[in-house]
């Protein structure tokens, strides 16, 4: 897997929320998957072998961040 980088200013008000999201293993898996290709919630759930409710919950966390 290729390394992926995200730059965020420490002065950004969302830095704390981003730190929480990036500490979440499921959110990181979703980000990695979406970095490769755009896909639906159902396809994410299938590809990651997760319940769709888990994917939906974590996508909402990512939207807020």
């Amino acid at each position: 897997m290729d390394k992926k980088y995200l730059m965020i200013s420490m002065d950004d008000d969302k830095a704390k929320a981003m730190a929480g999201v990036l500490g979440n293993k499921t959110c990181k898996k979703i980000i990695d998957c979406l970095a490769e290709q755009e896909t639906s919630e159902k396809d994410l759930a299938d590809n990651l072998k997760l319940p769709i409710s888990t994917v939906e919950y974590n996508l909402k966390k990512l939207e807020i961040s």
Side-chain angles (χ1 to χ4, degrees):
M1 180 186 303
D2 294 331
K3 290 185 178 183
K4 295 173 183 75
Y5 298 91
L6 172 70
M7 289 182 54
I8 187 167
S9 169
M10 297 301 285
D11 296 327
D12 190 325
D13 292 337
K14 294 185 178 182
K16 184 177 178 180
M18 279 300 262
V21 165
L22 294 175
N24 179 309
K25 290 180 185 180
T26 303
C27 284
K28 287 195 298 189
K29 288 178 185 179
I30 290 171
I31 291 169
D32 283 341
C33 191
L34 291 174
E36 298 296 323
Q37 67 180 9
E38 189 173 322
T39 188
S40 69
E41 289 180 7
K42 181 178 181 336
D43 288 341
L44 276 172
D46 291 345
N47 291 340
L48 299 174
K49 297 177 178 42
L50 294 170
I52 195 156
S53 60
T54 300
V55 171
E56 289 173 351
Y57 172 80
N58 284 282
L59 283 171
K60 285 180 184 174
K61 289 175 73 171
L62 289 168
E63 286 178 7
I64 295 170
S65 299

